[in-house]
């Protein structure tokens, strides 16, 4: 009887856990439906970009929602000695999602073509809106794709790669933009070292002078100690 009661208790516990899993599944479905909104999904992509910048760069090196003279707003920019690097994080995913979920090769090919059109259009927009050398931007803008799978789909297409190169747009994903940010940070540190090279050399010269002076004083002290030792 005791074993039966224990078994019943275990079954009740499992039922509760399964109920929790079912509720979690409903929550995830609700979240998926919410993320179907392009505006909200775009906002999520922007926030992920902002977090990457905030976690890896000093505050003075970047700015979000940067406004150009013509009123155009760029999602983020990074300030470098060579100029301002504009970064865009908005990207249409509807046709890509339809391509992945397509049940036939014909439908998949149709949505893939539409997706490629979306990519080309977005590349054109990023290039025309954010590459502004007259406002100190670099001659290349960064297009951030908040999805590794979409990034891979684009870079494996030769025609899209050619378009990116021609339009002076660099494509990045969550992992590759992190590498880009680290390279920028490294360059910034080297630039700071070069900028303050004279000051560093003067400091080293001062240290050398102090060291030589200290050495001379040690020699005098050594003489006193030697004479005292002999007297003893």
């Amino acid at each position: 009887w005791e074993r039966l009661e224990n078994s019943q208790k275990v079954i009740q516990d499992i039922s509760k856990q399964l109920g929790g899993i079912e509720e979690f599944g409903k929550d995830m479905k609700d979240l998926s439906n919410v993320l179907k909104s392009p505006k909200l999904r775009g906002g999520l992509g922007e926030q992920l970009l902002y977090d990457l910048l905030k976690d890896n760069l000093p505050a003075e090196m970047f700015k979000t929602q940067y406004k150009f003279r013509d009123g155009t707003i760029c999602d983020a920019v990074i300030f470098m000695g060579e100029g301002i690097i504009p970064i865009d994080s908005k990207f249409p995913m509807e046709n890509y999602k339809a391509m992945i979920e397509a049940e036939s090769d014909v439908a998949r090919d149709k949505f893939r073509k539409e997706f490629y059109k979306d990519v080309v259009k977005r590349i054109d927009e990023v290039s025309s809106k954010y590459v502004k050398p007259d406002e100190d931007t670099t001659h290349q803008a960064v297009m951030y794709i908040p999805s590794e799978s979409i990034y891979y789909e684009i870079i494996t297409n030769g025609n899209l790669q050619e378009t990116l190169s021609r339009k002076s747009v660099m494509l990045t994903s969550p992992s590759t933009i992190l590498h880009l940010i680290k390279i920028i940070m490294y360059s910034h540190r080297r630039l700071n070292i070069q900028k303050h090279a004279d000051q560093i050399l003067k400091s080293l010269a001062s240290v050398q002078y102090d060291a030589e002076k200290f050495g001379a004083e040690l020699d005098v002290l050594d003489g006193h100690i030697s004479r005292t030792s002999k007297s003893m």
Side-chain angles (χ1 to χ4, degrees), residues 27-182:
D27 291 342
M28 288 302 293
K29 188 176 180 181
D30 290 340
L31 178 61
S32 177
N33 289 332
V34 168
L35 290 177
K36 285 178 181 177
S37 165
K39 187 174 180 180
L40 183 60
R41 193 173 56 238
L44 185 61
E46 285 177 24
Q47 190 56 52
L48 291 172
L49 172 62
Y50 298 161
D51 289 343
L52 281 171
L53 294 171
K54 186 175 70 175
D55 292 342
N56 294 279
L57 290 176
E60 67 275 9
M61 274 194 70
F62 72 94
K63 184 174 176 61
T64 60
Q65 296 297 297
Y66 183 81
K67 196 172 186 178
F68 290 104
R69 286 197 292 262
D70 62 1
T72 302
I73 296 176
C74 185
D75 293 328
V77 297
I78 296 175
F79 299 108
M80 288 288 292
E82 297 81 4
I84 299 168
I85 303 173
I87 308 175
D88 177 82
S89 68
K90 297 181 185 70
F91 191 78
M93 296 175 65
E94 282 66 32
N95 283 314
Y96 177 81
K97 187 172 182 293
M99 177 185 79
I100 296 299
E101 294 175 352
E103 295 182 358
S104 69
D105 291 341
V106 174
R108 192 173 297 109
D109 289 342
K110 176 193 168 187
F111 287 119
R112 179 176 278 111
K113 286 176 183 175
E114 293 302 315
F115 167 69
Y116 289 163
K117 286 179 185 176
D118 290 341
V119 176
V120 171
K121 184 180 177 183
R122 193 66 200 140
I123 293 170
D124 286 338
E125 288 175 356
V126 170
S127 178
S128 61
K129 287 168 71 176
Y130 304 132
V131 179
K132 297 177 182 288
D134 58 319
E135 294 191 43
D136 296 327
T137 71
T138 53
H139 290 274
Q140 194 172 41
V142 176
M143 185 169 155
Y144 171 65
I145 308 292
S147 165
E148 297 291 347
S149 57
I150 295 178
Y151 170 79
Y152 182 77
E153 178 70 31
I154 295 171
I155 63 169
T156 53
N157 182 289
N159 292 331
L160 293 179
Q161 283 279 64
E162 186 183 337
T163 304
L164 285 163
S165 177
R166 191 175 67 254
K167 293 289 183 177
S168 299
V169 174
M170 178 191 292
L171 193 72
T172 60
S173 67
S175 59
T176 56
I177 199 169
L178 186 58
H179 291 303
L180 176 65
I181 290 170
K182 289 185 182 298

Side-chain angles (χ1 to χ4, degrees), residues 181-195:
I181 290 170
K182 289 185 182 298
I183 290 168
I184 289 170
M185 190 61 203
Y186 175 72
S187 301
H188 174 71
R189 284 173 182 163
R190 286 194 61 185
L191 189 66
N192 274 342
I193 290 171
Q194 289 171 1
K195 215 185 276 185

